[in-house]
Every structure is written in C-alpha cells, then in structure tokens.
Amino acid sequence: MKTVAVIGASTDRSKFSNKAVRAYAAQGWEVYPVNPKGGTIEGLTAYVSVKDIPVAIDRVTIYLPPPVAVAALPDIAAAKPKEFFVNP
C-alpha cells in the first residue's frame, strides 16, 4: 500500500488539506496527517512532524503558507519521500 503524508492537514472538512486526507484514503493510500497540534484528523492519528511518522513515506503533499512550508523542508528532506507535491 502506498503511503502519503499530508502536511498541514486540518480538521476543518472545508479545507483542501482535509479533503486531501479523505481523497487519498478513499483511493486506498495509507494516510499520515501532519499537524503541529497532533490529535486525530478524519479518525487518523495526526503527527506533529513528518519526522515522527514511523514508516517510509512514498509521497509528501504540503498545504502550508510559504514561510511555514520552508521551515518544514529539512524534515521533509530527511524523510526521503519518493514524491513531493506543493499545493497552493
């Protein structure tokens, strides 16, 4: 099963980061939401950082404002995902 980290995942179902979590799950991906508050998103454990995810990640997709996204880049690079998508 393919794995995806959704960085900036939100509990707000109207936000694209939440829609991405649901869409990837519906397509059969193993989804790892990442949100600095942790908790759960759409019934999935939300990780504080991509570096906290306990498995190899195939894809990282990011939904953060540019200044915050830039700060997350070192952790994303350390995770060594096969694919990296930046979203508006």
Side-chain angles (χ1 to χ4, degrees):
M1 180 179 298
K2 290 185 179 182
T3 57
V4 61
V6 180
I7 300 178
S10 174
T11 57
D12 183 341
R13 292 179 63 93
S14 70
K15 292 193 173 192
F16 284 107
S17 60
N18 180 282
K19 292 176 183 184
V21 169
R22 290 183 279 137
Y24 277 111
Q27 294 296 317
W29 288 69
E30 191 171 333
V31 182
Y32 294 90
V34 178
N35 182 296
K37 295 177 185 176
T40 60
I41 296 175
E42 296 300 321
L44 302 168
T45 298
Y47 294 86
V48 173
S49 169
V50 69
K51 66 184 177 184
D52 298 327
I53 297 172
V55 300
I57 298 297
D58 294 310
R59 178 180 292 173
V60 167
T61 183
I62 190 166
Y63 293 87
L64 294 173
V68 180
V70 169
L73 290 177
D75 288 343
I76 294 167
K80 298 182 180 177
K82 294 176 185 170
E83 300 175 321
F84 178 53
F85 288 79
V86 179
N87 301 280

